[in-house]
Amino acid sequence: MSEPPGGAVSVTAPPSADTPSKPLSAQRVVPLRRPGRWIASAVVLVLVAQIAHGLATNPFYQWDRFRYWFLRPSILDGLLITLEVTAFSAVLGLLGGILLALGRLSGSPVLRAVSWTYTWLFRSVPLIVVLIFLYNFSALYRTVGLGVPFGPSFVSFDESKLATDMVVAVVGLSLNEAAYAAEVVRGGILSVDQGQHEAAAALGLPKGYQFTRIVFPQALRSITPNYVNQLIGLVKSTSLVFYVSLLDLFGSVQTMGSTYPGDIVPLLLVATVWYLILTSAVSVVQFYVERHFARGATRTLPPTPLQRARSGLTALRARLRREAAV
């Protein structure tokens, strides 16, 4: 005990056995142990290893025949048709969905009723039924004309010449896609805060300008993930156009499987891998589109996979340096 100037008493406590020998900044923090997580991870790794081992060693998969068929011209021609049908149907389906969504949100009871009926009908009827019905449409109407109802026709078309296999496939998929896209677009528009509509109306902006420059860009943040999910379903739905005599990817695989029955499994694996590649490419595009429309809505944009890898490496190096210093 000592008495410093000013009369105050200062007491210096003797060092205790519990006093750490190192400063707190140099002490290592031991994370909480989670044995359940490690056990679950080990079980999953064992299952994944077993599946990979079975795929690599089972001769039934015939990986040599898979490599032979993967880039054959017949398969690539079918893949090209799949891409064409998907692209046309996605664009036409989205445009039709936007019109139907605007009809559902319109103040006109006629537009609301027609849009609701269309959505209800095509969401209820299976896609294969729509395709087969359109494929046999010429049996019901040999010519298609435009004119006055119950009156003269101004323009007429021969349905058998107009409805090629590609047209039937695109029209059928587009009609079905528009019904689902309408609900996706309508949900995205309804997700926009009502204050945005009121602010745009208070500024005296035209309705078309309000929708294209204010409402729809904000709705795209909600529309994009849902519609891309629908688009992935559309890529897989193109396999049904085989039933209207259009040899897409799946149709080419089916045809080759009938000709070479011993290669059915490797041909199915070829189709599976190509569909995985297409859907993965769509998912990558979805990530960057969502990242683009996230600007202004979030403080920081979500990192890209490359940025995540770089930040992970940086964190690992910093951790190794700290452990080496300790």
Side-chain angles (χ1 to χ4, degrees):
M1 181 182 297
S2 61
E3 185 174 351
V9 178
S10 174
V11 179
T12 303
S16 173
D18 297 334
T19 304
S21 58
K22 296 181 181 180
L24 292 177
S25 59
Q27 293 185 34
R28 181 181 179 183
V29 178
V30 179
L32 180 65
R33 300 185 184 277
R34 301 179 183 274
R37 179 186 299 176
W38 286 100
I39 293 173
S41 301
V43 171
V44 170
L45 288 176
V46 169
L47 293 176
V48 171
Q50 287 182 337
I51 294 174
H53 179 267
L55 289 174
T57 59
N58 192 337
F60 188 70
Y61 291 113
Q62 305 178 56
W63 292 109
D64 56 335
R65 300 299 296 170
F66 170 85
R67 290 189 294 270
Y68 171 79
W69 286 111
F70 189 70
L71 296 176
R72 297 296 296 175
S74 58
I75 300 297
L76 295 181
D77 291 342
L79 176 64
L80 181 61
I81 292 177
T82 295
L83 292 174
E84 290 178 354
V85 172
T86 301
F88 288 127
S89 302
V91 173
L92 295 177
L94 180 59
L95 294 177
I98 293 173
L99 294 178
L100 289 171
L102 294 178
R104 288 287 304 275
L105 299 173
S106 172
S108 170
V110 175
L111 294 180
R112 288 201 308 270
V114 171
S115 300
W116 182 90
T117 304
Y118 180 97
T119 305
W120 164 75
L121 177 64
F122 280 93
R123 288 203 304 174
S124 303
V125 179
L127 176 58
I128 184 63
V129 175
V130 175
L131 290 173
I132 294 177
F133 184 85
L134 291 176
Y135 188 68
N136 297 279
F137 194 72
S138 59
L140 298 174
Y141 301 96
R142 296 188 178 276
T143 59
V144 178
L146 297 175
V148 179
F150 308 104
S153 176
F154 302 133
V155 181
S156 61
F157 305 93
D158 187 352
E159 201 276 337
S160 60
K161 296 181 181 179
L162 182 64
T164 61
D165 296 339
M166 175 66 77
V167 171
V168 169
V170 171
V171 170
L173 288 171
S174 300
L175 291 175
N176 184 79
E177 187 70 12
Y180 291 92
E183 292 301 286
V184 172
V185 174
R186 187 173 70 93
I189 294 174
L190 293 177
S191 68
V192 179
D193 186 78
Q194 189 63 28
Q196 299 292 317
H197 298 267
E198 296 172 354
L203 292 174
L205 300 176
K207 286 288 186 180
Y209 189 88
Q210 293 180 29
F211 178 77
T212 57
R213 301 302 298 272
I214 297 176
V215 177
F216 195 63
Q218 297 182 63
L220 281 173
R221 290 193 63 243
S222 176
I223 292 173
T224 299
N226 297 315
Y227 185 70
V228 171
N229 187 53
Q230 188 66 30
L231 184 59
I232 291 175
L234 175 62
V235 173
K236 295 182 291 185
S237 297
T238 55
S239 60
L240 296 176
V241 302
F242 169 68
Y243 294 98
V244 294
S245 302
L246 190 63
L247 291 181
D248 66 320
L249 175 60
F250 181 74
S252 300
V253 167
Q254 285 284 84
T255 303
M256 293 296 102
S258 301
T259 307
Y260 302 92
D263 290 348
I264 291 179
V265 172
L267 282 168
L268 290 176
L269 288 174
V270 167
T272 300
V273 172
W274 273 119
Y275 281 121
L276 284 173
I277 292 173
L278 294 179
T279 54
S280 299
V282 173
S283 299
V284 171
V285 174
Q286 173 190 358
F287 172 80
Y288 285 99
V289 172
E290 288 183 4
R291 192 171 185 271
H292 172 76
F293 286 110
R295 296 183 303 175
T298 57
R299 294 184 181 274
T300 57
L301 293 178
T304 63
L306 183 58
Q307 291 173 343
R308 290 181 181 177
R310 288 177 178 175
S311 61
L313 290 175
T314 303
L316 180 60
R317 290 173 182 173
R319 180 180 177 182
L320 293 176
R321 290 195 189 99
R322 287 197 302 268
E323 291 181 354
V326 173

